[in-house]
Amino acid sequence: MKRNILVFALIAIFALTLSSCGKQEKTNTQKLCIEKGWVLQSVTAAPYYISAAGERVTNFYDDLMIESEKDDIIKFAENGSQTINPGKILPTDDEDGYLTEKATTWKFSADEKDLTFQIPFFYEYPMDGSVARTFDAAFETATITKLTETELVLTYTCNLIDVPTKETCTLTLTYIPVK
């Protein structure tokens, strides 16, 4: 009987050891660098974002983004490269969105709480007042609010540069994996 108890105890210890070894938590880099990439699900502004028309907008995604921007895919690679791919809905010209893949880079802060990358729907507007725009070459640093295998939530504080009071707003960007 003692022998059976000893054998049972050894089997239980062995099973527990195997089960704890098999489930290693993924690193933030592994969670971020998913194979198919991320697509934007929502963008909200708090307290509000001021549009070019002077409107105070809280649902940035629905009120300010064009359809071709909403399905752009961001892919992060473990080597620090980032690509922005146009989705299935293509813009009519390169002034309204990505027509081809754009390569750039990304990095975490030392504590992996902040992500520095290019936000796909940000643009550079010319200083001469014309409406032509180009894609933003600057990097933005956003705080990681949530990073799992199924959701990436970032908060980014931006300056409302066209507002005389120089207000700021916080954009919350929610990404989900591409299906």
Side-chain angles (χ1 to χ4, degrees):
M1 182 72 166
K2 285 183 180 179
R3 181 177 163 104
N4 288 343
I5 293 173
L6 181 62
V7 169
F8 179 73
L10 287 173
I11 290 171
I13 291 170
F14 182 71
L16 285 172
T17 304
L18 282 180
S19 67
S20 66
C21 291
K23 294 188 178 185
Q24 285 187 325
E25 178 71 23
K26 287 189 174 186
T27 66
N28 279 350
T29 299
Q30 290 170 326
K31 291 176 193 173
L32 185 69
C33 299
I34 59 177
E35 184 179 341
K36 291 185 178 183
W38 299 93
V39 66
L40 197 57
Q41 183 179 43
S42 69
V43 182
T44 58
Y48 50 78
Y49 185 87
I50 299 177
S51 72
E55 299 167 319
R56 293 180 178 193
V57 174
T58 57
N59 188 336
F60 192 102
Y61 185 85
D62 289 334
D63 296 339
L64 295 178
M65 292 182 66
I66 57 177
E67 290 304 309
S68 64
E69 294 172 322
K70 292 178 180 180
D71 73 342
D72 288 348
I73 299 166
I74 303 177
K75 289 184 182 180
F76 300 95
E78 290 190 26
N79 67 3
S81 66
Q82 173 191 350
T83 55
I84 303 169
N85 296 299
K88 293 178 182 177
I89 303 170
L90 293 177
T92 54
D93 60 48
D94 63 358
E95 199 171 288
D96 286 332
Y98 295 95
L99 293 172
T100 60
E101 180 177 282
K102 180 177 180 3
T104 184
T105 60
W106 71 274
K107 68 178 178 177
F108 279 131
S109 59
D111 62 3
E112 294 190 349
K113 292 183 179 181
D114 296 316
L115 175 65
T116 300
F117 72 119
Q118 284 187 301
I119 297 176
F121 57 86
F122 275 21
Y123 303 97
E124 294 287 340
Y125 291 92
M127 299 305 285
D128 65 7
S130 66
V131 293
R133 60 187 179 176
T134 57
F135 291 99
D136 184 13
F139 290 91
E140 290 79 25
T141 299
T143 300
I144 300 168
T145 304
K146 184 176 183 181
L147 175 56
T148 67
E149 293 178 49
T150 59
E151 190 174 41
L152 170 61
V153 181
L154 305 167
T155 55
Y156 173 70
T157 301
C158 62
N159 297 316
L160 301 175
I161 57 174
D162 296 332
V163 179
T165 57
K166 303 295 183 203
E167 296 174 67
T168 62
C169 79
T170 300
L171 297 178
T172 300
L173 298 88
T174 302
Y175 290 90
I176 58 171
V178 174
K179 295 184 189 228

